Amino acid sequence: MPDDKIKILDIKDIYTCPWLSVGIYKIRRPDGSLMDHHVVHYHRKAVGIVPVTDDGKILLVRTYRFIPGTHFWETPGGGMDDNESPEETARRELLEETGYEAGEMEPMFQASAESGVSDQVVHTFIARGIKKVRDSFDTNEISEIRLFEMPEILDMMQHGVLNEVMSMLGLLYYNTFHRKP
């Protein structure tokens, strides 16, 4: 059986900042041909959180993303700090972005965000029994926080109002495998 693995022959870093680096990987493909492949390396893993109230409502945040130039409804989330566990990050980000705390932080899954071009890994959690503990939230990132029913969220996805991919994945995964009727 032929070798079906790609071999990395050389890595040349072309850009680095505190959040990520970009490199050109010279690779040998399974057919023997050579290729330069651009790779994004993230210095920190990330978390996404599906925050759920005791009565089944889901908390979303509204953010303005300047790159596409539009507002998005998203689940809270962010990058892991040094020496921080995924659960610690999820609890911190939930509080920072929404002013809510979780009674229970349940791991759902971890996923590769763009495995063809990056090594970004996102740990996704369900925050159950959320309670508002402060009125303030990060207004540099978040313009609004609001509770939604799942049918409304599914409608928002269907009509492109909620279309950030990691949020959609977390919400659909929760709805399919973890939502209690």
Side-chain angles (χ1 to χ4, degrees):
M1 180 173 185
D3 188 357
D4 63 349
K5 293 185 180 172
I6 291 175
K7 292 183 176 49
I8 300 170
L9 305 175
D10 187 40
I11 300 171
K12 178 182 175 188
D13 288 329
I14 59 173
Y15 176 78
T16 299
C17 73
W19 299 280
L20 58 85
S21 57
V22 178
I24 299 175
Y25 285 50
K26 180 165 286 302
I27 60 172
R28 183 180 313 281
R29 300 182 335 175
D31 68 1
S33 63
L34 299 178
M35 177 181 168
D36 286 340
H37 190 75
H38 291 76
V39 176
V40 179
H41 167 69
Y42 286 88
H43 302 302
R44 305 184 315 165
K45 293 180 181 174
V47 301
I49 307 126
V50 177
V52 184
T53 62
D54 287 336
D55 63 354
K57 292 187 174 111
I58 296 171
L59 184 68
L60 297 179
V61 298
R62 188 163 168 83
T63 60
Y64 179 76
R65 300 296 186 187
F66 74 91
I67 296 170
T70 190
H71 285 89
F72 286 90
W73 282 104
E74 302 176 356
T75 55
M80 290 173 57
D81 289 341
D82 290 340
N83 301 315
E84 192 175 46
S85 72
E87 181 176 333
E88 289 168 333
T89 303
R91 289 186 180 280
R92 176 181 53 76
E93 288 289 342
L94 180 64
L95 181 61
E96 284 177 9
E97 292 190 357
T98 68
Y100 281 71
E101 287 184 344
E104 177 186 357
M105 195 64 75
E106 178 185 336
M108 265 198 302
F109 63 88
Q110 63 181 27
S112 298
E114 298 174 295
S115 62
V117 295
S118 86
D119 61 358
Q120 178 66 292
V121 174
V122 179
H123 298 266
T124 305
F125 292 85
I126 304 168
R128 295 192 189 275
I130 61 168
K131 303 280 186 227
K132 189 173 191 174
V133 296
R134 67 179 192 206
D135 288 329
S136 62
F137 56 88
D138 186 353
T139 57
N140 285 318
E141 286 189 63
I142 311 299
S143 59
E144 183 180 356
I145 56 174
R146 192 174 131 207
L147 293 167
F148 293 87
E149 300 280 352
M150 184 53 81
E152 186 178 6
I153 289 172
L154 296 173
D155 186 65
M156 290 164 68
M157 285 185 206
Q158 186 175 14
H159 292 95
V161 176
L162 194 159
N163 62 359
E164 191 274 321
V165 71
M166 290 309 293
S167 296
M168 292 173 69
L169 179 60
L171 289 161
L172 291 170
Y173 194 96
Y174 166 77
N175 189 56
T176 304
F177 300 111
H178 294 275
R179 186 169 166 225
K180 296 176 180 164

